[in-house]
Amino acid sequence: MNDEFISLTIGQQKNIALIAHDGKKKEMLDWCDWNKEILSKHFLYGTGTTARMITDRTNLPVRAYNSGPLGGDQQVGAKIVEGVIDFIVFFSDPLTAQPHDTDVKALLRIALVYDIPIATNRASADFMITSPLMNEEYEHQVINFNRTVEQRLKSL
């Protein structure tokens, strides 16, 4: 048995984080409106204004965290670590400087570490949400961090 990795399961009903920079909020709202029927079958989370705007426009329930610059991206990252969030749609604005760019990078990093599917534009979000995997459980392999910690302790 390979103890380098552990198997995690993303359930049939996904926990989806919806995040959009200011310059991409309209695009996110349009995308959520277009995919309302699919999104209604899953649990939705979002950062500050984006979450509120999605709920106002689509009537979909979205659990809101803080605004991104006020720690919302970090809250989503913490929920990934806790095993709550298992899918992210983050419409990032590459042409506008973000005051919380380091938080965004930290969120993307933790999503990669935990092998979380993440769409950063409409095309990738369209491909992901229409995948047959959206309607079934999905097992993925994540680094066995307990093993890594044990090895570090032994080397000290």
Side-chain angles (χ1 to χ4, degrees):
M1 181 166 131
N2 182 353
D3 64 347
E4 277 187 64
F5 296 92
I6 58 171
S7 185
L8 297 179
T9 302
I10 294 175
Q12 184 175 2
Q13 198 169 23
K14 311 296 185 265
N15 293 297
I16 304 171
L18 302 166
I19 305 167
H21 285 146
D22 288 348
K24 296 290 184 170
K25 288 198 190 316
K26 182 186 180 324
E27 188 174 356
M28 174 63 81
L29 293 173
D30 292 344
W31 184 83
C32 287
D33 220 9
W34 180 260
N35 292 290
K36 182 177 177 178
E37 185 177 327
I38 296 170
L39 291 170
S40 70
K41 298 173 184 166
H42 303 281
F43 298 108
L44 306 177
Y45 304 81
T47 53
T49 309
T50 304
R52 189 175 68 243
M53 291 173 79
I54 292 168
T55 297
D56 288 349
R57 171 126 169 220
T58 66
N59 289 319
L60 291 169
V62 182
R63 170 137 195 241
Y65 295 115
N66 289 344
S67 173
L70 300 177
D73 297 325
Q74 295 300 296
Q75 287 177 297
V76 172
K79 293 301 176 187
I80 290 171
V81 174
E82 293 172 12
V84 175
I85 301 293
D86 45 38
F87 190 101
I88 300 174
V89 178
F90 187 165
F91 287 0
S92 177
D93 185 352
L95 301 178
T96 304
Q98 301 298 326
H100 63 296
D101 188 53
T102 54
D103 295 337
V104 172
K105 287 179 182 172
L107 173 60
L108 295 174
R109 180 189 166 281
I110 208 70
L112 289 170
V113 167
Y114 282 86
D115 196 34
I116 299 296
I118 183 164
T120 56
N121 58 36
R122 187 166 186 152
S124 60
D126 287 342
F127 273 85
M128 285 172 49
I129 202 161
T130 58
S131 165
L133 297 174
M134 281 300 295
N135 300 314
E136 55 189 64
E137 285 188 350
Y138 176 77
E139 264 193 50
H140 59 125
Q141 301 294 305
V142 177
I143 296 169
N144 183 346
F145 300 110
N146 289 333
R147 181 177 180 265
T148 304
V149 169
E150 287 173 15
Q151 287 177 335
R152 286 183 184 159
L153 288 172
K154 288 178 185 176
S155 69
L156 294 176

